[in-house]
Amino acid sequence: MRNREVAAVLYEIADLLEMREVDFKPRAYRTAAQNIESLGTDVEELHQQGKLEDIPGVGKGIAKKIAEFLETGRVKKLEDLKRDMPVDLPGLSAVEGLGPKRIEKLYRELGITTLDDLEEAARRGAIQDIEGFGENTQQAILENLAFARRSRDRYLLGYVQPEAQEIVEALKPHVEAIEVAGSLRRKKETIGDVDILVVASEPARAMEAFTGMDRVEKVLMQGDTKSSVRLYGGIQVDVRAVDRDSFGSALQYFTGSKEHNIEVRKIALRHDYKLNEYGLFHGEQKLAGTTEEEVYEALGMQWIPPELRENRGEVQAALDGALPDLVQDEDVRGDLQMHTTWSDGNHSVAEMVEEAVALGHEFIAITDHVGSLKVAGGLDQKDLEEQGEEIAAVREEHPEIHIFHGLEANVMKDGSLDVGEGVLDMVDVVLASVHSAFRMDQKSMTERVIRAIEHPRVNILAHPTCRIIQKREPIQLDVERVLEASRENQVVMEINAFPERLDLNDVHVKMAVERGVKLSIGTDAHRRDHLRYYRLGIAVARRGWAEADDVINTYSVQQLQKLFGA
Ligand SMILES: [Zn+2]
């Protein structure tokens, strides 16, 4: 699936057009990019069927560009635009507060094309003199630079995963064994590059199949044991061929993390063994290497699920035989946050329900925004009543799934909810979340959120830290105090499974699990295609050591009704 690459191209065209102050078009390109990014179907397949224009927001002109890209790997319009404006757009726009128009101004006035140029200009005080910038903006740029640098060249798990899976599928006919390694196998929230290990009787052939794929923009290196390419969209993929009897030890080695491997090698040393990518050795004698399981077993440890390999106590737990029995995809019975056309979603209640049924869910919660949040089209009491009637009708049509009528309420600055009491009694489940005034000091923000948790009708705190990966820093929260309040008030903490959010993150999930705070997975779907992101939520739960019992999406409908007090 090349959807992510196509979206990246359209986003870049949108930004470059906006820099040239073209009207309307940037918005059109951006809408098309967003829809393609979250499309459940393969854009290449649609192209082959001549159905590109079926994608919402894709008209003739944009369809042509997509076709050109899929067929030739380039888009002439993008190349022309880039020639006129040779700036590192992805890098510079990662700096909070810098949009295409400001980047254009910085280029025109100061010739800034890279993050380095930007830092240099800010340090010597040249930016504050540009019209519309000023001293505060210059200071904010300096503060946000480090964040921008960190997030550059990393890609979101949710978008990399399907692409890597397709590469694996394409290579399968050419290899005897294949496995993704690295941070992608550990399901980290962002991925630097993709590492794939193969065993092949004819490695040269496998490498040819790999480097010859359509999605490859540039071959960085091609050899019999290792090849590297850069895909359209920027991510680097390495394929390594290893011997069959070293596949397990190589997989262990290349899966990492570095910190985990250091600890495991210490255990090997204790036994006077040596562990490397070729195997586990005692002197000249090879003890293990074909599978990962035998490597860990020979060290007297349980096999450790990749998601846990971050040196957060998993090595000792594996030695003690005390690893958690992690929650699995199959344990999850439903989704507890989604939006429909009633607020800012793109699909109706019925459409979301149909998709959820197709995914095999036993229950969902429809949780549209209520209250005054303008951008999200919040519902009032009357809307909610009408929505309740619609949901009742859909329930008749779909007795195979339980539909909780829920809502997502805004937590105001003082911690109160942006709704009347009567409204909350109209629904089965209440989500509360912060959607405004993100910049408050830790003490006030913590008190604000705790007050919402203490509200007797709140069931779930949604996207608790409000971070947007690579775009917005989390709000300042004393997470320990928030978790303590959640436990006391039996409020569930959400793992928002939307690719850009993954909030709570893995570290906070582990803290919640240790404190006996329950977790819920909500995709925050705004389109039916988004509902499949629930697996990303499970990945985060697993990285946070959660078992099935810690995640309320594994509960039965009756258990949930009891929990929600509905
Ligand atoms: Zn929200």
Side-chain angles (χ1 to χ4, degrees):
M1 202 142 112
R2 297 174 65 190
N3 296 20
R4 199 182 55 87
E5 300 161 40
V6 172
V9 165
L10 299 181
Y11 277 126
E12 201 163 1
I13 294 177
D15 286 349
L16 286 162
L17 286 172
E18 191 173 335
M19 288 163 87
R20 306 181 68 168
E21 308 214 350
V22 178
D23 282 338
F24 309 119
K25 271 190 178 174
R27 203 193 150 100
Y29 274 94
R30 219 161 270 144
T31 306
Q34 277 163 3
N35 290 339
I36 289 168
E37 206 164 43
S38 62
L39 204 64
T41 36
D42 189 344
V43 70
E44 238 175 333
E45 224 164 79
L46 291 174
H47 171 48
Q48 277 154 13
Q49 298 163 354
K51 286 185 177 165
L52 283 175
E53 288 177 52
D54 288 1
I55 304 169
V58 174
K60 232 196 197 104
I62 294 179
K64 252 172 123 177
K65 308 261 177 334
I66 298 172
E68 183 186 353
F69 176 70
L70 290 172
E71 283 161 20
T72 68
R74 37 193 293 218
V75 180
K76 191 170 170 300
K77 176 158 184 124
L78 176 61
E79 286 174 7
D80 292 346
L81 286 165
K82 269 181 168 172
R83 204 170 313 116
D84 290 347
M85 195 72 67
V87 298
D88 170 16
L89 197 54
L92 291 170
S93 39
V95 179
E96 203 184 334
L98 283 194
K101 289 212 172 111
R102 285 189 149 179
I103 293 171
E104 191 269 341
K105 222 168 190 182
L106 289 168
Y107 172 68
R108 196 157 30 85
E109 303 269 334
L110 298 171
I112 289 171
T113 62
T114 65
L115 284 175
D116 288 341
D117 294 348
L118 180 71
E119 175 160 21
E120 189 272 331
R123 289 213 184 285
R124 94 183 128 85
I127 289 175
Q128 62 186 15
D129 299 332
I130 302 177
E131 197 203 322
F133 280 78
E135 209 182 325
N136 285 343
T137 308
Q138 176 170 280
Q139 192 52 36
I141 286 173
L142 276 173
E143 282 164 17
N144 292 329
L145 256 163
F147 187 62
R149 280 190 210 280
R150 248 187 301 146
S151 40
R152 214 158 59 142
D153 301 331
R154 293 199 69 87
Y155 300 86
L156 298 183
L157 174 68
Y159 300 134
V160 174
Q161 218 173 21
E163 212 172 344
Q165 196 47 45
E166 280 179 24
I167 295 176
V168 166
E169 294 303 324
L171 291 181
K172 268 186 182 164
H174 307 279
V175 297
E176 278 94 69
I178 184 163
E179 205 65 69
V180 164
S183 51
L184 182 54
R185 184 162 179 245
R186 304 200 313 277
K187 302 200 178 130
K188 262 190 88 166
E189 60 194 32
T190 60
I191 308 295
D193 45 36
V194 176
D195 296 300
I196 296 173
L197 291 187
V198 299
V199 176
S201 53
E202 292 179 82
R205 240 201 221 175
M207 293 303 182
E208 231 156 76
F210 169 55
T211 56
M213 289 196 296
D214 280 348
R215 61 180 72 229
V216 170
E217 182 181 32
K218 192 169 180 203
V219 178
L220 305 170
M221 173 176 135
Q222 182 165 0
D224 277 4
T225 54
K226 189 188 168 190
S227 296
S228 296
V229 305
R230 191 174 64 225
L231 304 182
Y232 290 103
I235 195 160
Q236 184 177 325
V237 182
D238 300 341
V239 171
R240 281 189 180 78
V242 299
D243 291 338
R244 158 77 64 187
D245 65 354
S246 296
F247 188 62
S249 45
L251 188 56
Q252 199 281 329
Y253 180 88
F254 286 110
T255 296
S257 65
K258 208 186 282 168
E259 294 73 18
H260 170 82
N261 286 352
I262 289 171
E263 290 307 303
V264 175
R265 280 203 297 278
K266 279 188 198 160
I267 306 300
L269 282 175
R270 251 192 242 167
H271 289 84
D272 199 25
Y273 298 161
K274 201 175 101 188
L275 176 64
N276 57 33
E277 56 187 289
Y278 304 105
L280 179 68
F281 301 90
H282 187 209
E284 294 293 294
Q285 194 200 352
K286 186 162 178 174
L287 302 173
T290 310
T291 68
E292 264 193 342
E293 283 82 355
E294 67 176 34
V295 171
Y296 282 103
E297 198 191 320
L299 291 169
M301 304 164 77
Q302 289 176 285
W303 174 80
I304 302 176
E307 294 95 329
L308 296 184
R309 299 184 197 172
E310 299 292 346
N311 191 28
R312 293 176 187 153
E314 74 281 6
V315 171
Q316 190 56 49
L319 284 168
D320 297 340
L323 284 175
D325 183 10
L326 297 179
V327 59
Q328 300 183 45
D329 289 4
E330 307 79 70
D331 297 329
V332 164
R333 301 191 193 186
D335 188 335
L336 292 168
Q337 180 177 181
M338 68 191 63
H339 301 266
T340 71
T341 43
W342 280 95
S343 63
D344 58 347
N346 288 275
H347 287 117
S348 67
V349 172
E351 286 170 316
M352 298 305 270
V353 167
E354 279 160 23
E355 188 76 23
V357 168
L359 286 171
H361 287 338
E362 292 169 29
F363 60 78
I364 55 166
I366 301 285
T367 57
D368 278 303
H369 297 280
V370 296
S372 60
L373 193 66
K374 294 227 169 42
V375 284
L379 277 61
D380 61 22
Q381 187 161 355
K382 192 165 156 289
D383 298 328
L384 213 56
E385 232 165 75
E386 284 171 26
Q387 188 188 38
E389 284 162 24
E390 184 175 317
I391 287 176
V394 178
R395 279 182 187 137
E396 299 263 306
E397 291 283 306
H398 292 279
E400 70 276 31
I401 188 167
H402 184 89
I403 309 167
F404 289 102
H405 188 190
L407 59 79
E408 184 179 7
N410 310 317
V411 177
M412 307 299 273
K413 254 181 136 167
D414 64 358
S416 64
L417 298 185
D418 181 17
V419 285
E421 297 291 322
V423 165
L424 297 180
D425 291 331
M426 295 168 68
V427 295
D428 308 319
V429 55
V430 174
L431 276 58
S433 51
V434 171
H435 286 111
S436 57
F438 298 113
R439 286 167 189 270
M440 281 168 71
D441 63 72
Q442 194 189 65
K443 191 167 171 288
S444 327
M445 188 61 99
T446 302
E447 275 159 18
R448 170 184 181 185
V449 169
I450 287 178
R451 189 167 165 218
I453 288 171
E454 286 171 347
H455 191 293
R457 281 294 289 130
V458 169
N459 301 113
I460 296 173
L461 183 69
H463 48 77
T465 76
C466 301
R467 62 111 174 235
I468 307 285
I469 300 175
Q470 298 177 341
K471 293 217 175 77
R472 186 166 72 213
E473 294 272 25
I475 55 175
Q476 300 282 315
L477 273 189
D478 182 337
V479 175
E480 234 162 288
R481 278 189 61 203
V482 168
L483 290 174
E484 201 48 48
S486 307
R487 204 173 46 82
E488 275 166 27
N489 293 280
Q490 288 198 47
V491 165
V492 175
M493 290 284 115
E494 183 181 70
I495 300 175
N496 191 294
F498 206 75
E500 278 86 354
R501 286 194 185 266
L502 302 186
D503 176 13
L504 296 176
N505 69 18
D506 49 2
V507 173
H508 292 151
V509 167
K510 188 159 189 272
M511 290 169 69
V513 168
E514 284 163 0
R515 284 159 181 78
V517 173
K518 299 293 178 198
L519 301 155
S520 80
I521 291 171
T523 57
D524 205 348
H526 284 67
R527 301 177 48 82
R528 55 191 299 168
D529 316 311
H530 295 159
L531 288 170
R532 69 187 192 284
Y533 291 143
Y534 76 91
R535 292 190 190 87
L536 292 173
I538 301 167
V540 176
R542 287 171 64 87
R543 285 180 57 83
W545 295 53
E547 302 193 336
D549 193 42
D550 297 312
V551 180
I552 66 169
N553 303 63
T554 69
Y555 286 14
S556 67
V557 170
Q558 291 72 28
Q559 279 174 298
L560 286 177
Q561 281 169 329
K562 198 168 156 231
L563 179 73
F564 297 152

